[in-house]
Amino acid sequence: MVILVVAIIVHGGAGTVKKEERIPKVLDGVREAVLAGWRELKRGSALDAVEEAVKALEDNPLFNAGTGSVLTLDGKVEMDAAIMRSNLEAGAVAAIWGVKNPISVARKVMEKTDHVLLGGEGALKFARLMGFEEYNPVTEERLKQWQELRKKLMESGETRHWKKLSALIKEYPEVLRSTVGAVAFDGEDIVAGTSTGGVFLKMFGRIGDTPIIGAGTYANEFAGVSATGIGEVMIKLVLARTAADFVRFGLKAPEAAEAAISIATEHFGRDVAGLIMIDRDGRVGFAKNTKHMSVAYMREGMEEPYTGI
Ligand code: ASP
């Protein structure tokens, strides 16, 4: 007999943390977030746990979600977020700005509308209706990084092609991929949530994998998954859903995570993807083909969270 174990896992994005001295701060950030989620989970709700954990990461300017989101080519913040439950209820926002916690707006989309995904102006209008106040998530540090990166891009003579952006991403990997996510299991419900500012210098209007159900975020009766990395890869491979399918067909979360990431590596090479997941027995799994992905998790019976990168 399998004993169901209550659990929560969070990530702070896949990529490369270039500056070594940043690593302890990143680990502190995921640790704090998993503990914030754990407190809610102990009260019984995976949904509240995921929202709280993701909010803690959105509010930490180190991570590329909420406060500290990266800027688009034209210097704006356009954030994506999604939340999904094992009963297939889901809510998401894409290219939203002017709010503090996109994950909470995504939850409202799930609970208060008949839709799954609201984008741009409409998402913002809905957020205001729901009482989310005006908030500017742009930080000084991100603005400076944006100015430097944009200058480089201009000097390179190409402004339209993703290939040039990819070269820039390779040069400055640490600022590009620190999307955040959380998955929790409360003994009944499995919930997954993801939030991001996207990729630096993305084109205005570009929507990544995070708010696309099945790509960056997914939950069903088998597993909950939150992915990170180059969004276009996850969209093309429907990666989060693929990882959940591996559980459906018999794998446990740790193997399912590895199997899904190996598909990403096969098609697009290394340094493109990472994901965290929990299966219906409460096993946690995480895998990446990037150098780093900060992770923290807590399961019933553990005194302290595991953290790693
Ligand atoms: N997946 C995110 C996106 O492409 C970026 C990330 O994970 O850092 O929007």
Side-chain angles (χ1 to χ4, degrees), residues 68-148:
S69 284
V70 300
L71 277 63
T72 60
L73 203 51
D74 55 348
K76 300 210 174 78
V77 159
E78 293 182 0
M79 302 172 286
D80 299 336
I83 194 158
M84 186 167 189
R85 311 181 65 167
S86 48
N87 64 3
L88 304 185
E89 281 178 21
V93 286
I96 192 173
W97 62 91
V99 295
K100 189 165 187 243
N101 294 110
I103 194 72
S104 301
V105 186
R107 181 171 174 176
K108 287 282 185 220
V109 171
M110 175 173 83
E111 292 175 343
K112 302 281 186 200
T113 80
D114 296 312
H115 308 303
V116 170
L117 174 58
L118 296 182
E121 287 282 356
L124 184 61
K125 201 167 162 184
F126 171 73
R128 296 284 179 261
L129 265 180
M130 292 293 114
F132 291 90
E133 282 166 14
E134 174 80 44
Y135 179 82
N136 180 8
V138 179
T139 60
E140 279 299 312
E141 196 190 345
R142 290 295 189 218
L143 201 57
K144 238 180 86 206
Q145 285 169 342
W146 175 78
Q147 280 156 351
E148 281 164 19

Side-chain angles (χ1 to χ4, degrees), residues 7-11 41 45-54 81-92 102-104 106-107 110 180-186 188-195 209-227 240-241 243-244 275-279:
I8 178 164
I9 182 166
V10 307
H11 73 74
L41 200 56
S45 162
L47 183 60
D48 292 340
V50 165
E51 185 182 1
E52 277 316 301
V54 174
I83 194 158
M84 186 167 189
R85 311 181 65 167
S86 48
N87 64 3
L88 304 185
E89 281 178 21
I103 194 72
S104 301
R107 181 171 174 176
M110 175 173 83
V180 306
V183 183
F185 175 56
D186 59 23
E188 275 177 39
D189 197 5
I190 313 175
V191 180
T194 317
S195 181
D209 58 312
T210 299
I212 308 296
I213 297 304
T217 309
Y218 197 71
N220 64 10
E221 68 269 46
F222 297 99
V225 185
S226 168
R241 168 62 196 253
L275 62 83
I276 57 170
M277 61 192 292
I278 296 184
D279 66 29

Side-chain angles (χ1 to χ4, degrees), residues 196-251:
T196 188
V199 241
F200 233 126
L201 300 181
K202 65 184 180 181
M203 282 194 66
F204 26 85
R206 178 267 192 187
I207 293 165
D209 58 312
T210 299
I212 308 296
I213 297 304
T217 309
Y218 197 71
N220 64 10
E221 68 269 46
F222 297 99
V225 185
S226 168
T228 166
I230 308 276
E232 285 68 14
V233 166
M234 266 74 75
I235 292 173
K236 288 172 186 169
L237 294 174
V238 199
L239 202 70
R241 168 62 196 253
T242 300
D245 277 350
F246 283 130
V247 175
R248 176 190 293 260
F249 299 126
L251 297 191

Side-chain angles (χ1 to χ4, degrees), residues 147-203:
Q147 280 156 351
E148 281 164 19
L149 283 168
R150 199 159 182 273
K151 197 164 155 256
K152 284 231 161 212
L153 189 65
M154 291 309 180
E155 281 165 7
S156 77
E158 287 271 0
T159 52
R160 289 201 193 150
H161 299 291
W162 187 250
K163 270 191 185 138
K164 284 284 173 185
L165 285 182
S166 299
L168 271 173
I169 287 169
K170 283 215 156 67
E171 214 177 318
Y172 295 92
E174 78 277 18
V175 294
L176 298 175
R177 290 177 243 149
S178 46
T179 291
V180 306
V183 183
F185 175 56
D186 59 23
E188 275 177 39
D189 197 5
I190 313 175
V191 180
T194 317
S195 181
T196 188
V199 241
F200 233 126
L201 300 181
K202 65 184 180 181
M203 282 194 66

